Amino acid sequence: MSTSSTVDPVTVEIIRNALNAAADDMNATLIRSAYTPIIYEGGDCVVALLDAEHQVLGQSAGLPIFLGNLETCTRATEERFGRAVWHPGDVWILNDSYLGGTHLNDITIFGPVFVEAGTDAEQLVGFTASRAHWIDVGSKDPGGSMDSTSIFQEGLRLGPQRLVVGGVEQEGLVDIIATNVRFPYPTLGDMRAMVACITMGEKRLQEVVERFGLDVLLAARDEIFRQTEALERAVIAAIPDGVYSAEGVLDNDGVTLDAPVPIRLDVTVRGETIDFDVTRSADQQTGPVNCGVAQAVSALRVGYKLLVSPDLPGNGGSFRTMTAQVREGSVLGAVAPAACQWYFSHLGLLIDLVAKALAPAVPDRVAGASFGDSMIVLTAGNDPRTGRDYVTLEATVGGWGAWEGSDGETALINNVNGSLKDLPVEVLETRYPMRISEYRVRPDSGGAGRFRGGDGVVREYEMLTDCTVSLWFERSQQPAWGLFGGQDAVGPDVVVNPGRPDERRVLKVNGMRLSAGDVLRCSTGGGGGYGPAAERDPARVRENVLDGHLTPAGARDQFGLDTTA
């Protein structure tokens, strides 16, 4: 619904910031109330305010790969049950990978927002939504499986369900959740933190309506959307018309380890419009690298936004100039019962491919590829200090690509994860039976160039009790590429018991048994370089040696500079 009312620019900006501040309040409520470190320390969550037509009004910082499809969940619910399904005081829950969810661990909780509209009447004005990672949802292995071949192995799968009806929590559904997960106490704690989060969003949106009136809010919304769309159209119009293509590969699907998975992208620019076509990508795979169409579109939106409007908050005016073509039955448009546990690997690759494809047209806006994956380390076992089972999962940081004017960032989370953080050493050592014996920058791992790619990291775990470890490390066959003469980065490397007789290397494994005293050394990849290495200022090479990003050998081999003289 749009409105013909007009509103002055100052009020528009006040409302714009009020909506984003409301989303920040929602996010703070969730993080401060959550029970598990992956949310309250890592920030593996996102929230948004939507209008009554499921368009984004405001959102907090969070995982970019989530922000593109929270509205898909509310739309899917309405399409299934009809517009009349929304009632005051109701809260819904959903995690179906094919209905806007991601993997089953990512739970979306959302609800309608109503305001009074006269005697005994209430009007639907929007929705509040949150998504967060639950540490376990009852998959065949604690926390998630690296070798699942069906979504039925990945845990409890929920289509849109009412979790709260008229303000009353539904005990039957809560009991189903509690009896199907390994850690019901913290899981239900996180669930209720998410309910508190969207309740905060409901309150804040109602306050905006009460302060300004619904007509003014809608007029401001329309103006915000109009501005965003106009700015994006202007950027697209400046790109030369044409078809731009790029392709890359995942190492494998986690099950068939010797078969790379190709991802292919064709970008068509025509006037003020841009179309992304991934229909030439691989068919859906046996292993858990598949995703639904909504996630593929989200990744393309992230790649688009990085190039077109990186400084603008996303809203309902974003992406109106963009279309996407995804083939049903492909690895990016999977259908049931395809396994989707590690759905994000090809999405990070896809984001990098957007930049690679459009690099010839917008060289000043693109960067070399990033290290590209979450590089998951998952441990599970029994903590002898408490006698309780535990599971911990964390993403590992790495290097981002360089661009014209700057080296790439070092030790940054991958592009699908945005503001997600790696878990602090103190948290891991306090809560779980392990010791972090080394955590440092991995020198020489960034691609050489006029501007260097960022470096990965080395993180070494010493196990203090017997446990299982599952790993998901990607992009070893095609490490982060450079652009315009920049060199490729070094890929990931994981070593069990380095320097011992039983030393072995592994990148993907499910439930590998380790004993107390065993060591796991995880090294992430760097980012791609930008421009020829011969054009780098020698003084900057020497600085990189002094600050530990390059070794003397790396300076000599990559840049031809003897820094020992």
Side-chain angles (χ1 to χ4, degrees):
M1 179 178 65
S2 62
T3 177
S4 59
S5 302
T6 59
V7 61
D8 65 272
V10 173
T11 301
V12 169
E13 292 308 309
I14 291 172
I15 290 176
R16 185 201 304 270
N17 286 279
L19 294 170
N20 286 325
D24 288 340
D25 281 351
M26 292 173 64
N27 201 50
T29 299
L30 174 54
I31 289 174
R32 291 172 181 172
S33 305
Y35 279 46
T36 55
I38 197 166
I39 299 176
Y40 68 71
E41 289 285 355
D44 195 346
C45 57
V46 73
V47 306
L49 288 169
L50 311 175
D51 68 12
E53 306 305 321
H54 313 277
Q55 301 173 106
V56 175
L57 292 174
Q59 59 192 32
S60 71
L63 277 67
I65 209 65
F66 287 176
L67 292 171
N69 63 15
L70 285 179
E71 62 269 31
T72 305
C73 298
T74 58
R75 281 198 178 101
T77 303
E78 187 170 302
E79 289 170 1
R80 176 173 291 190
F81 299 109
R83 184 72 166 179
V85 76
W86 307 116
H87 299 288
D90 285 1
V91 174
W92 292 73
I93 186 170
L94 180 152
N95 74 335
D96 192 328
S97 298
Y98 315 116
L99 277 180
T102 48
H103 57 183
L104 297 184
N105 292 79
D106 289 336
I107 307 294
T108 306
I109 288 180
F110 54 95
V113 179
F114 286 83
V115 297
E116 292 184 3
T119 305
D120 298 326
E122 291 185 289
Q123 181 176 353
L124 177 68
V125 295
F127 303 88
T128 58
S130 67
R131 180 175 292 164
H133 184 104
W134 287 7
I135 196 64
D136 182 85
V137 289
S139 57
K140 72 182 184 70
D141 299 290
S145 302
M146 308 295 174
D147 63 352
S148 55
T149 57
S150 167
I151 199 165
F152 297 113
Q153 297 175 320
E154 296 180 346
L156 181 65
R157 178 177 161 207
L158 297 170
Q161 305 281 329
R162 279 192 180 94
L163 178 63
V164 177
V165 177
V168 179
E169 190 174 85
Q170 298 303 285
E171 294 182 4
L173 180 55
V174 173
D175 182 67
I176 289 173
I177 293 170
T179 54
N180 279 278
V181 302
R182 292 176 175 84
F183 306 97
Y185 177 74
T187 297
L188 295 184
D190 286 345
M191 180 191 77
R192 290 172 178 135
M194 295 174 72
V195 173
C197 158
I198 69 163
T199 302
M200 172 62 74
E202 177 186 27
K203 178 182 177 182
R204 291 289 182 259
L205 184 54
Q206 288 170 339
E207 289 172 347
V208 173
V209 174
E210 181 181 351
R211 177 179 176 185
F212 295 98
L214 183 57
D215 287 344
V216 173
L217 171 61
L218 294 177
R221 175 205 63 182
D222 291 346
E223 177 60 15
I224 292 167
F225 291 179
R226 185 199 65 77
Q227 292 174 5
T228 301
E229 180 180 358
L231 287 168
E232 293 187 0
R233 285 188 178 278
V235 173
I236 297 299
I239 300 174
D241 285 1
V243 178
Y244 305 88
S245 299
E247 63 180 78
V249 295
L250 297 182
D251 291 348
N252 50 65
D253 69 355
V255 173
T256 308
L257 299 182
D258 59 352
V261 181
I263 303 297
R264 301 183 179 95
L265 171 67
D266 299 305
V267 184
T268 301
V269 178
R270 185 176 293 110
E272 297 180 346
T273 65
I274 188 167
D275 178 73
F276 296 97
D277 188 326
V278 294
T279 57
R280 296 191 300 114
S281 296
D283 292 339
Q284 68 184 48
Q285 302 291 297
T286 301
V289 297
N290 305 288
C291 73
V293 171
Q295 292 81 56
V297 173
S298 290
L300 292 168
R301 285 179 170 184
V302 174
Y304 166 99
K305 196 160 192 351
L306 284 171
L307 299 185
V308 173
S309 58
D311 299 324
L312 289 176
N315 58 57
S318 305
F319 315 119
R320 290 182 173 179
T321 187
M322 171 193 151
T323 54
Q325 315 303 320
V326 183
R327 177 170 55 88
E328 187 175 278
S330 70
V331 69
L332 291 162
V335 295
C340 299
Q341 183 67 43
W342 308 111
Y343 70 96
F344 46 73
S345 292
H346 52 8
L347 301 185
L349 176 59
L350 194 55
I351 293 167
D352 280 336
L353 288 175
V354 171
K356 184 178 184 181
L358 290 171
V362 287
D364 58 330
R365 287 179 172 263
V366 297
S370 69
F371 75 110
D373 198 65
S374 296
M375 311 295 178
I376 295 295
V377 180
L378 187 157
T379 63
N382 185 272
D383 190 339
R385 300 171 300 178
T386 63
R388 296 175 180 171
D389 290 343
Y390 72 91
V391 62
T392 178
L393 179 148
E394 64 169 329
T396 314
V397 297
W400 279 50
W403 66 95
E404 182 62 57
S406 178
D407 292 345
E409 292 294 332
T410 289
L412 194 66
I413 206 71
N414 60 313
N415 52 17
V416 304
N417 280 323
S419 62
L420 185 74
K421 303 176 182 66
D422 56 335
L423 295 184
V425 171
E426 297 83 358
V427 171
L428 285 170
E429 294 184 341
T430 299
R431 291 185 59 98
Y432 308 109
M434 63 179 65
R435 179 180 297 117
I436 307 301
S437 51
E438 183 178 26
Y439 194 24
R440 60 176 174 83
V441 170
R442 184 187 184 192
D444 303 335
S445 57
R450 181 167 69 251
F451 299 100
R452 285 190 71 245
D455 289 313
V457 299
V458 178
R459 191 162 168 111
E460 187 172 275
Y461 305 75
E462 179 185 353
M463 306 306 165
L464 303 182
T465 189
D466 296 353
C467 64
T468 61
V469 173
S470 297
L471 302 170
W472 189 274
F473 277 62
E474 253 292 345
R475 303 279 281 269
S476 67
Q477 292 195 28
Q478 188 183 42
W481 56 78
L483 290 177
F484 304 110
Q487 299 300 302
D488 295 349
V490 176
D493 184 48
V494 180
V495 186
V496 179
N497 291 331
R500 299 182 187 178
D502 61 344
E503 174 183 302
R504 59 194 186 278
R505 280 178 159 77
V506 61
L507 291 174
K508 289 178 182 171
V509 67
N510 189 70
M512 176 176 62
R513 295 188 177 276
L514 295 183
S515 301
D518 282 344
V519 170
L520 180 74
R521 179 183 294 166
C522 300
S523 302
T524 59
Y530 189 104
E535 296 179 5
R536 187 168 180 83
D537 185 346
R540 298 195 68 180
V541 177
R542 293 188 175 91
E543 290 173 2
N544 291 151
V545 173
L546 292 174
D547 62 24
H549 288 284
L550 282 173
T551 63
R556 182 184 63 251
D557 295 342
Q558 296 181 23
F559 295 96
L561 186 65
D562 183 1
T563 60
T564 63

